[in-house]
Amino acid sequence: MKSKMLKKLISLFLVIVTAFSFTACTPTGGDSTKFELKIRNYGGGFGDEWLVKAAADFEALYEGVEYGGKVGVDVVYSSPKNDSAETDMQSDNHIVVREFGDIYSSRHSEFLEIDSVFTDTLSDGKTIESKLYAGDADKLKINGHYYAVPHYEIFGGITYDKGLFKERSFYISATGGWVNGTNKSVLSNGPDGVKCTHANDVICTCDDGLPANYEEFKALLERMKGNTVTPMLWSGQSDYYANYMLSAMYACLMGKDLNYVYDLDSKGNNITYITGFDGDNPTTVSEPITTQTAYKLYTQEEKYEVISFLDSILGSVGVPSNYVDRIGFSGTKTMKETQKIFIQSKRLPQVAGSERPIAMLVEGNYWTHESKTALAQEAAKGPQWAKTYGYMPMPAVVSGSVDATTGVNSYTLVDSASCYMVINKRTVEGNQDLINLAKEFIKFCNTDEKLQEFTTLTNTTKGLKYPLTKTQYDSLSHYGKSVWDLREKAIANGVIFSNKSANAVFRKAYSDFAQTCTGGFWSSGTTRVAVQGLFTNGQTAKEYFNGMKKLSAQEWANIYQSYWG
Amino acid sequence: MTKNRIFKSKHDWFFYISLMLLPCIQFFIFYIVVNFNSILLVFQKFENGKFVFNGFNNFVEVFTKSSTINNITINSLLTYGKKSLITYVFQMVFGFPFAIMFSFYIAKKYKGSGFFKVIIYLPHMVSATVFVLMFKIFSDGAMLDVIEMITGEKPFLGITKGYPFELALIYTIWSSFGVNVLLYTGAMSQISDSIIESAQLDGITPFKEMILITIPLIYPTIVTFLVVGLAGIFTNQMNLYTFYGEFANDKAKTLGYFMYATMKSSVTDYSDYPYLATLGIVLTAITMAITFGARAILNRLDPMREY
């Protein structure tokens, strides 16, 4: 009797647990009297507040309006965090918003062609096509048609704690010393080589006093260590995030020349690539490349410079440099736990592995939105714990000085997200009302008003050009402002990039050249994470570089010849 | 001398065909058809946007030179193969004897056997992903604290990053323990009580009972386990994908993980498929030889063969 009761209780418990797991996956909405539009949104670091708002506003537009034989529209959305692109596209959702990676592969055949979405005039009087970055129209089109609208951008790189920089005098002065940054006139010009013109009492997003070359960067790390501060941190459980730093550094060394990589053509200009090593010193050749000879990009000198830099700041397992908190090397902390440790590291240094405040975090620019609760909780502890973070522009040169011309490269940003809004062809085909509604929703989400709303809600940006009003700009966090300002400079100087290309060979060799923290660009041998190779496995920069993928002229031609015509 | 005919009538033929049809169809569909493209890829290469005939060059690439898959070399493959073999050996040396002993304990219904049976099998009712997550948290949490208590210092890289192969190996042995125990216990329960009683009347000790009666009588089950284990030697990825996704450290990789993770990887493209397909075929050939050889040897060693 007792055992029967126990069995019943266990069964009931299992049923409840199962029911809970199903409930967790249930999308919101579901009013059968209205015309239904289903949306699947990747619910990672950017969350879904923007979608909640957009869905409500879109439904309001159709309130009481007859559409498709029903009255009103019901936007049903779900925002799972872990589903793959395959799962999302196989679902019954009509619109999918997620990081797709390579859209040039066969995947685009699952998307509905949406040329009209790009060319129709939106309610703000503009077209989506007119909001694309320079050159992006050709890069987005596949066989002459549009299939995907750019969504959020991820700019991976270094976030620095401006409060800690000021408190411990981590800013570089014009004379090479260390200052707290209060007096802007004594600061070095920073990575962009341009003097900040703001008054001393204005907290601005200028880069003055930040490292302008790799030597200054190393000096900064050493200064931090000497001042009982741990220089930097990344999530050890997701140590591929350290590749974000490599991509940011590489992009800023390249600047406008990054076009050569995305075009697989240097238009007659020289690129420098490594042909071998004389001892530990690379031997290089500088010459132009075309698509036919673009295999030389596999051994670009800038790649080696960045890997060498990372190698030089890591140390080894036996003798760690302590520039990076040990959390970055062990599997103990998730991304969000790492973010929290960074936020709390000054108040609660004992929670950090090194028991010291941490000055910099390697992450994507979405992280402050992802950890907004932790940031708010920290600020609630008292005004002294409120944080002022900034996105750190990377040096444009390895050594030597920069001027205003070369310094422009430090504005370079690469969006590694490849995040798009697409219409899932399979689920809408044959239903013109549904197709039209899905297109209208995408257009609605890309009006200036909605783009601005996205930015103010998330402190991040979408991959289109749009302005912010002063009020909207003022509502951003300081970190959000620093990313926005840098992005504006990048757009103005033509140094904003994403993993898009009009070159047919690039599209086929996507995984070799796309800038992502998990892709092939920074892989060596079968190691995808530079930190694992250089630190955990004790490889030298040369060994790691030599293990990176490279193709001979013949191999390159064998694989890609048919695509260059 | 009359010829020994297996099939004496049409009914016998019909019975034989009915019996063999399903496995043959299954083999045809789930091995030949499913893998047909892979078999073709062995003799192809990706060139000018399509797969073209490449003779036996893929075999040359597997055995001699480096592949375009991130410069994977024959040395890397040998290292991964070594890890696969070590895994099997450890499973045999540690997993197998303990499973037999524990199964015997449970089959004999010694004190607490029912409780142990539930405890051992309980993990298998939880999803592997959840269990791996718990294992990771335990390893980098409580385990590190214990190590610190004993040595006064935590390993710099922690357990999951510092000892990825060892961690996966322990997990693999431990996680397969429950299934092994359940099946061995099932086989042991089939042993006739009269044999055991007779031996006990002769004064047999429990240890001798296990060695001289139980193990010989469940030998076919043991052989099945050993042979199935050998057949999966190069496909066993030790749950590394569940532990580390695509980013397992090179130190931990087995051939099974390498094949699986490379195929799943976002950096793998069409030009890599022929190499992977060829490697798969080569490993299948090696596994077949080992498996059939081991099966023949083990069948010869069957202590009950004469009966």
Side-chain angles (χ1 to χ4, degrees), chain A residues 427-444:
Chain A
T427 59
V428 298
E429 251 177 349
N431 187 340
Q432 200 53 47
D433 286 332
L434 192 52
I435 291 173
N436 292 342
L437 192 68
K439 286 181 176 179
E440 285 305 315
F441 184 78
I442 295 180
K443 287 194 282 185
F444 178 75

Side-chain angles (χ1 to χ4, degrees), chain A residues 48-63:
Chain A
D48 67 355
E49 291 146 290
W50 68 272
L51 180 56
V52 174
K53 188 86 174 55
D57 292 349
F58 190 69
E59 283 174 352
L61 281 180
Y62 286 83
E63 193 65 49

Side-chain angles (χ1 to χ4, degrees), chain A residues 46 98-104 132-133 136 139-140 149-157 244 247-248 250-252 258 262 364-366 391 411-421 454 460-464 483 486-487 490-491 495-501 506 510 513-517:
Chain A
F46 294 80
R98 69 161 299 115
E99 294 169 27
F100 279 101
D102 178 5
I103 55 164
Y104 303 118
L132 293 173
Y133 298 140
D136 266 11
K139 293 174 182 176
L140 262 179
V149 180
H151 191 56
Y152 60 65
E153 296 173 306
I154 291 181
F155 303 123
Y244 270 147
S247 282
Y250 166 75
C252 289
L258 203 50
Y262 284 103
N365 60 313
Y366 51 82
Y391 182 92
Y411 301 146
T412 309
L413 288 173
V414 182
D415 162 27
S416 61
S418 303
C419 183
Y420 298 98
M421 252 183 181
F454 182 93
T460 63
T461 54
K462 287 186 66 166
L464 296 168
V483 176
L486 190 61
R487 178 178 171 274
I491 293 171
V495 287
I496 189 156
F497 297 90
S498 57
N499 293 321
K500 295 193 277 286
S501 170
F506 181 96
Y510 183 91
F513 296 109
Q515 288 298 319
T516 66
C517 62

